[in-house]
Amino acid sequence: MTTRRTRRRGGARAIVLALLCVLVALPAGSGATPDAAAAPEVAARANVTPGHYVGTFNIYGNIGHRGDAGDWIKEEADAIRAVGRGDMGRWLFIGLQEVCEAQGERFARELGLRSAFIDTGTDCADGQPYGNAILFHSATRILPPALLPNTDNRGGERGIICAVVRAAGHQGPTGPQVTACSTHLTVGETKDREREAQAAFIRRGWKPDGTHPLGTDGPLVIAGDLNAAPDAPELDVMYDGIEASGPRESEPPYAFPTYEDGRKLDYLFVWGARGAARWADTGTRPTAHSDHDFYYSELSMGIG
């Protein structure tokens, strides 16, 4: 949610921003092997093992922590693990926003997951790249990340990172899969038009493969800080999907506020499932180290 003064990169950096992502393997001795290259052309299947948690968390990594990847991350990771009763196998993926690169990597290590990261072109206070991350057990591919529309052409670029992920224990190209994304829309009371353009880009305008919009080939889950309340017109296109807290809320008090002042700014949307998609056990967990709560829900979808 927080604003920040940003410094634009040079032309060479801008050229590679939309292609930059980092895949982090599990810690040594975990028994897992990287598999993002195992089936690079496999599309997201229209099913996913039912009953797995997804979550989203704006970690306040730069303004709040100035890039520090210290033990506060272990404390937050331990609390996230407790949501699934200590079993990270119950998680499908977690989206992180306001992330300095090393912070996303440490969250992944603490949770026994892999991660992918997008650098949106802003330095953290300690010089690290800054952006969004996604944490998961395994992926058949990482989609080329993208920067979101910046209609006023000012600093503070926002981005989206997606991976075709699988639930724990599913290996090989035929396991149930879903396209999972982490994103962060522009902040500001005067930025509703820009957020509208960013939401439309994510939902219908972005073609990661150059041909098909995001989510065309199977179920899609968006996790992110959208910096707008549920009744904001700029989120109309997002509510084509099913949100974890249920029907669109028109005013506070919200069922699941996610920001420290009582607003709901963080979301979990699902589109494109065969059969009914169902959210259950939705909740928020207040955090000691961020101005946002951790927002989570258990997702089930039809198989087939």
Side-chain angles (χ1 to χ4, degrees):
M1 171 65 186
T2 52
T3 59
R4 56 182 60 77
R5 181 168 54 91
T6 62
R7 171 171 54 83
R8 287 194 174 275
R9 304 289 190 190
R13 181 71 178 276
I15 292 172
V16 301
L17 279 177
L19 298 177
L20 178 61
C21 67
V22 177
L23 180 64
V24 180
L26 283 167
S30 66
T33 57
D35 60 1
E41 301 303 322
V42 174
R45 305 292 190 241
N47 55 23
V48 64
T49 301
H52 283 81
Y53 283 103
V54 296
T56 189
F57 187 18
N58 180 325
I59 69 170
Y60 203 35
N62 185 32
I63 299 298
H65 297 282
R66 303 183 64 82
D68 173 54
D71 286 345
W72 70 271
I73 292 178
K74 183 180 185 306
E75 293 175 15
E76 294 290 1
D78 288 345
I80 290 171
R81 188 179 291 105
V83 170
R85 300 178 184 175
D87 181 7
M88 288 308 298
R90 299 185 66 190
W91 287 87
L92 184 62
F93 80 95
I94 297 169
L96 301 179
Q97 302 85 43
E98 292 198 30
V99 182
C100 301
E101 187 173 16
Q103 295 169 336
E105 293 172 356
R106 173 128 192 216
F107 262 103
R109 290 196 304 272
E110 295 292 346
L111 292 171
L113 301 174
R114 298 179 174 92
S115 71
F117 174 81
I118 178 174
D119 176 355
T120 55
T122 302
D123 280 338
C124 289
D126 61 355
Q128 291 184 67
Y130 170 89
N132 304 321
I134 187 168
L135 314 180
F136 50 86
H137 290 280
S138 64
T140 56
R141 58 188 169 119
I142 310 299
L143 303 186
L147 297 181
L148 302 184
N150 183 6
T151 56
D152 64 9
N153 203 30
R154 300 175 64 182
E157 296 277 15
R158 300 301 168 105
I160 183 168
I161 180 70
C162 302
V164 180
V165 303
R166 298 174 297 194
H170 291 270
Q171 301 297 323
T174 60
Q177 298 172 89
V178 63
T179 300
C181 303
S182 175
T183 194
H184 188 192
L185 303 192
T186 296
V187 64
E189 294 182 359
T190 64
K191 296 287 190 173
D192 53 342
R193 292 288 184 89
E194 185 160 296
R195 284 190 295 273
E196 182 179 16
Q198 292 171 344
F201 174 81
I202 291 169
R203 187 67 185 105
R204 298 200 174 102
W206 181 32
K207 299 177 179 178
D209 65 358
T211 304
H212 303 98
L214 181 68
T216 298
D217 53 0
L220 166 68
V221 181
I222 299 286
D225 174 5
L226 304 188
N227 273 317
D231 64 340
E234 58 263 41
L235 298 190
D236 287 353
V237 69
M238 304 297 284
Y239 272 93
D240 285 350
I242 303 171
E243 209 279 321
S245 62
R248 201 168 185 176
E249 298 166 300
S250 60
E251 60 183 23
Y254 300 112
F256 297 101
T258 63
Y259 191 60
E260 62 184 2
D261 64 4
R263 286 178 290 166
K264 176 177 170 60
L265 300 179
D266 302 87
Y267 296 82
L268 297 168
F269 285 101
V270 61
W271 295 281
R274 288 184 185 171
R278 299 180 302 280
W279 295 101
D281 196 25
T282 302
T284 58
R285 185 188 61 77
T287 60
H289 303 288
S290 177
D291 52 354
H292 287 249
D293 290 350
F294 179 70
Y295 179 50
Y296 64 88
S297 191
E298 186 179 29
L299 176 65
S300 301
M301 286 191 279
I303 300 296

